[in-house]
Amino acid sequence: MELEQAQKLWQPEPGWLNTASYGLPPEPVWTAVQDALADWRVGRTSWEGWGEATERSRAAFAGLVGVPVADVAVGSTVSQLLAPVAAALPAGATVVVPEVEFTSNLFPWLVQQERGVRVRTVPLAGLADAIEAGTDLVAFSLVQSADGAIAPYAEIVAAARAHGALVVVDATQACGWLPFDAGLADVVAVGAYKWLMAPRGSALAYLAPSLRERLRPDAAGWYAGKDPHFSYYGLPLRLADDARRFDISPAWFSWVGTAPALELLAEIGVPAIRDHDVALANRFLAGLGRPPGESAIVTVEVPGAREKLERAGVRAAVRAGRVRASFHLYTTVDDVDLALEALTS
């Protein structure tokens, strides 16, 4: 599907520049969720159809990030999906993380400090150089939530491999607009409610087969079973042989919306979305006299930004006087120009 054709599936109010907080659902997502809610309200259907959306989502995500579907686990949040990785670190392990890292990819490592796990923070630009002998794991966001900085993924992976360190990536702010190969890392976790435009409550993770051998599925339930529908009752323990053993029981309506969102992204193609998003981000930067960048998330400092944007009806994140604007496939030139007019008036 051409991007211009796909854009007709959204009807956002003008001025939404905040996908880095949450994405907007296209019509197929909205309709699927409303239909499921209507069926639930009156008991019109059984739940199995809602559950099938989870498997559609798993397959679509695997295709988007270039990994086998058997290596994808489903959950509800990034931190929950990272928890078994953190718990499997050896006592006294060393973890290296950027200084300004979203805490979903920081707190799971910090809570292991009582076992002697040491977390060392360094500037993102120096992350690869900070990986050294004795580093057990490096964790970072592929795109930083705070300012849209894109991590040097291949460089960090190469440094980690040279020293035998695991690589854990939070791709929540990247997946859906930035093409990347999840298989380079050991773990790539994604919350689906931002650039994947799904309802909040669904998350996915690539878990490399070699890593899974070290992990214990402490949250295992019926959905982690080899055949979930024959895992309702009783002994013995019979978990899936692949990444599904780390699944948690899906929040049905979140996944009902996640599946069509991911399938639409796959149909449009992430490279085309990246080109659109970054072009709009650079139009915004140029309008403020800033040099172009490569990210769909940008931050700029403008005096009185919050009040100016609110008066114009523009919704963007403003923190400590800095505007964080984010641009996705439903963003238009008119949205960008509305924000520029507000900030430069």
Side-chain angles (χ1 to χ4, degrees):
M1 178 184 294
E2 295 294 328
L3 190 143
E4 292 77 10
Q5 179 186 0
Q7 286 178 312
K8 298 175 183 177
L9 297 174
W10 284 267
Q11 294 84 35
E13 294 183 1
W16 178 252
L17 300 181
N18 204 9
T19 296
S21 288
Y22 67 86
L24 306 183
E27 193 61 35
V29 171
W30 180 258
T31 300
V33 173
Q34 300 310 309
D35 289 348
L37 292 174
D39 288 344
W40 173 46
R41 186 180 189 186
V42 298
R44 185 179 292 124
T45 184
S46 185
W47 61 269
E48 284 85 357
W50 303 332
E52 288 170 5
T54 310
E55 298 312 311
R56 287 170 51 199
S57 301
R58 193 194 312 268
F61 175 77
L64 283 173
V65 301
V67 299
V69 68
D71 294 338
V72 175
V74 300
S76 61
T77 67
V78 166
S79 57
Q80 169 256 313
L81 287 164
L82 296 185
V85 183
L89 286 172
T94 296
V95 178
V96 180
V97 184
E99 286 176 338
V100 184
E101 179 68 18
F102 195 76
T103 48
S104 292
N105 194 17
L106 177 62
F107 283 4
W109 323 114
L110 289 175
V111 298
Q112 302 297 324
Q113 287 180 324
E114 65 183 23
R115 300 194 298 112
V117 173
R118 174 174 173 251
V119 177
R120 186 160 57 94
T121 61
V122 299
L124 176 62
L127 187 59
D129 292 337
I131 302 168
E132 57 192 11
T135 301
D136 295 280
L137 183 146
V138 56
F140 61 96
S141 292
L142 186 54
V143 175
Q144 284 293 331
S145 170
D147 60 6
I150 301 173
Y153 185 31
E155 180 185 350
I156 295 169
V157 169
R161 299 302 176 227
H163 292 95
L166 295 172
V167 178
V168 176
V169 178
D170 180 349
T172 300
Q173 294 288 9
C175 193
W177 75 267
L178 182 68
F180 68 96
D181 179 4
L184 293 178
D186 298 290
V187 180
V188 175
V190 176
Y193 70 98
K194 296 181 185 283
W195 302 89
L196 298 180
M197 303 172 298
R200 185 172 171 90
S202 57
L204 305 104
Y206 163 70
L207 300 174
S210 58
L211 171 72
R212 296 199 302 268
E213 297 173 0
R214 311 184 193 184
L215 309 183
R216 189 175 68 186
D218 287 334
W222 71 278
Y223 203 72
K226 192 175 185 70
D227 184 336
H229 299 294
F230 287 91
S231 302
Y232 296 157
Y233 304 107
L235 299 173
L237 179 65
R238 47 201 187 278
L239 298 183
D241 297 323
D242 56 17
R244 284 188 47 253
R245 64 173 38 215
F246 299 96
D247 286 0
I248 64 169
S249 180
W252 290 323
F253 306 123
S254 294
W255 292 101
V256 164
T258 300
L262 298 186
E263 289 164 355
L264 178 61
L265 287 168
E267 191 175 352
I268 299 168
V270 176
I273 297 170
R274 179 209 36 214
D275 292 346
H276 170 83
D277 292 4
V278 174
L280 290 178
N282 285 338
R283 180 185 182 92
F284 179 76
L285 290 170
L288 294 172
R290 271 70 166 183
E294 299 180 349
S295 182
I297 304 172
V298 300
T299 57
V300 293
E301 189 166 352
V302 178
R306 183 182 302 277
E307 295 77 12
K308 291 179 177 180
L309 293 175
E310 286 179 353
R311 281 198 300 268
V314 176
R315 286 89 68 211
V318 180
R319 296 182 176 86
R322 293 185 65 84
V323 178
R324 185 191 69 181
S326 41
F327 308 83
H328 206 11
L329 68 163
Y330 39 68
T331 313
T332 67
V333 167
D334 289 343
D335 292 321
V336 177
D337 291 348
L338 179 64
L340 287 174
E341 182 178 357
L343 292 172
T344 57
S345 60

